[in-house]
């Protein structure tokens, strides 16, 4: 019996040894990193600073197009006569959005909307263009500029502004839209660099832009009668928020310095 057990044990040991010899052990192979010329070019093109350079190039080209085509001529020459109705309003809203991305001042575009389409249609087209332009600028800044610019937020004021936009995005952007003083394009790109979400940004832009846009649209629609009550009320609605915004910004500077 002992001899049989020993014989069986020896046979099992021989089989296990043979199995170990015939079955290769699994070896973890590190992933192969592409080091070719195409791979290096791809990584360089997708780097944060390359995307930031693309953003600056796009904005420069857009500003150049605005200087070349002079969209402010709409105030003097009017809208093309072959366009009218809803198609003209939609086209103007799209042009409005693209012009805001190219740093055209919104007050000028709002006046043009009121002068071309009247108070109600002018307000609608201007608000649509405002949201469209803000969304395009926010998307460009978020995709092409955020990764490169966020590491540069080292100053006390920059950190305070970034923290305010990131933690309280909706109310911060609503205040920026309600009270004039912050350039439209600057608010768009600052929000894009922060951690603010898309929905709070767009919703605050739409709601906060209504009063100021309505005032400019009415002023543009009644510009031919500068002594009319509607025009005077519109001008007051433009001036009072600007004054209030200046006072609030003057008082808030102490809070920003203390952080």
């Amino acid at each position: 019996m002992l001899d049989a057990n020993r014989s069986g044990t020896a046979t099992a040991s021989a089989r296990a040894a043979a199995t170990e010899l015939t079955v290769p052990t699994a070896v973890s192979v590190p992933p192969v990193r592409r080091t070719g010329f195409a791979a290096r070019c791809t990584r360089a093109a997708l780097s944060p600073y390359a995307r930031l350079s693309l953003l600056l190039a796009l904005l420069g080209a857009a500003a150049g197009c605005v200087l070349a085509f002079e969209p402010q001529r709409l105030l003097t020459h009017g809208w093309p006569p072959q366009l009218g109705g809803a198609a003209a309003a939609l086209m103007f809203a799209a042009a409005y959005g693209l012009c805001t991305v190219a740093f055209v001042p919104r007050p000028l575009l709002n006046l043009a909307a009121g002068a071309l389409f009247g108070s109600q249609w002018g307000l609608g087209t201007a608000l649509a263009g405002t949201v469209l332009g803000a969304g395009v600028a926010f998307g460009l800044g978020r995709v092409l500029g955020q990764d490169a610019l966020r590491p540069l937020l080292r100053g006390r004021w920059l950190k305070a502004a970034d923290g305010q936009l990131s933690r309280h995005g909706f109310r911060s952007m609503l205040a920026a839209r309600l009270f004039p003083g912050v350039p439209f394009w600057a608010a768009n790109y600052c929000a894009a660099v922060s951690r603010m979400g898309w929905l709070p940004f767009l919703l605050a832009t739409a709601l906060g832009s209504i009063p100021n846009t309505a005032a400019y649209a009415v002023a543009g629609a009644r510009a031919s009668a500068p002594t009319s009550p509607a025009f005077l009320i519109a001008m007051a609605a433009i001036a009072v928020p600007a004054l209030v915004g200046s006072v609030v910004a003057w008082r808030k500077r102490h809070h920003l310095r203390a952080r």
Side-chain angles (χ1 to χ4, degrees):
M1 293 293 293
L2 291 176
D3 294 338
N5 290 336
R6 291 175 181 174
S7 176
T9 302
T11 304
S13 301
R15 290 177 180 176
T19 304
E20 292 179 357
L21 291 175
T22 56
V23 178
T25 57
V27 179
S28 60
V29 179
V32 179
R33 186 176 181 180
R34 297 180 179 180
T35 57
F37 178 75
R40 291 196 298 270
C41 291
T42 301
R43 288 196 297 269
L46 297 178
S47 65
Y49 289 103
R51 285 180 286 159
L52 179 61
S53 300
L54 176 60
L55 174 62
L56 296 177
L58 290 175
L59 296 180
C65 291
V66 167
L67 293 176
F69 291 102
E70 299 180 355
Q72 64 271 18
R73 289 182 299 176
L74 289 175
L75 290 174
T76 56
H77 299 288
W79 195 252
Q82 62 270 21
L83 293 176
L90 291 175
M91 184 170 293
F92 181 86
Y96 185 113
L98 295 178
C99 285
T100 58
V101 177
F103 311 112
V104 176
R106 283 186 64 247
L108 178 65
L109 297 172
N110 292 334
L111 289 173
L116 294 174
F117 300 101
S119 301
Q120 296 180 355
W121 275 92
L123 173 60
T125 54
L127 281 178
T130 296
V131 176
L132 174 63
V136 172
F138 186 86
L140 289 175
R142 179 61 56 89
V143 174
L144 299 178
Q146 187 186 51
D147 293 339
L149 294 177
R150 280 200 67 82
L152 303 179
L153 300 177
R154 299 174 182 176
R156 183 172 56 186
W157 280 54
L158 292 176
K159 288 184 177 180
D162 176 66
Q164 184 70 18
L165 289 172
S166 299
R167 292 191 300 268
H168 311 289
F170 177 79
R171 72 184 188 185
S172 299
M173 187 53 55
L174 186 65
R177 302 306 192 194
L178 283 173
F179 299 110
V182 180
F184 184 72
W185 61 269
N188 294 336
Y189 291 111
C190 287
V193 175
S194 71
R195 303 295 187 185
M196 184 186 300
W198 277 87
L199 183 59
F201 172 77
L202 294 177
L203 186 59
T205 296
L207 295 177
S209 300
I210 291 176
N212 187 261
T213 305
Y216 275 102
V218 172
R222 303 300 177 90
S224 58
T227 58
S228 64
F231 182 84
L232 296 177
I233 293 174
M235 296 305 297
I238 294 171
V240 171
L243 179 61
V244 173
S246 300
V247 173
V248 171
W250 178 262
R251 297 183 62 181
K252 287 292 185 181
R253 80 189 192 284
H254 300 292
H255 298 282
L256 290 175
R257 290 178 179 177
R259 293 184 180 183

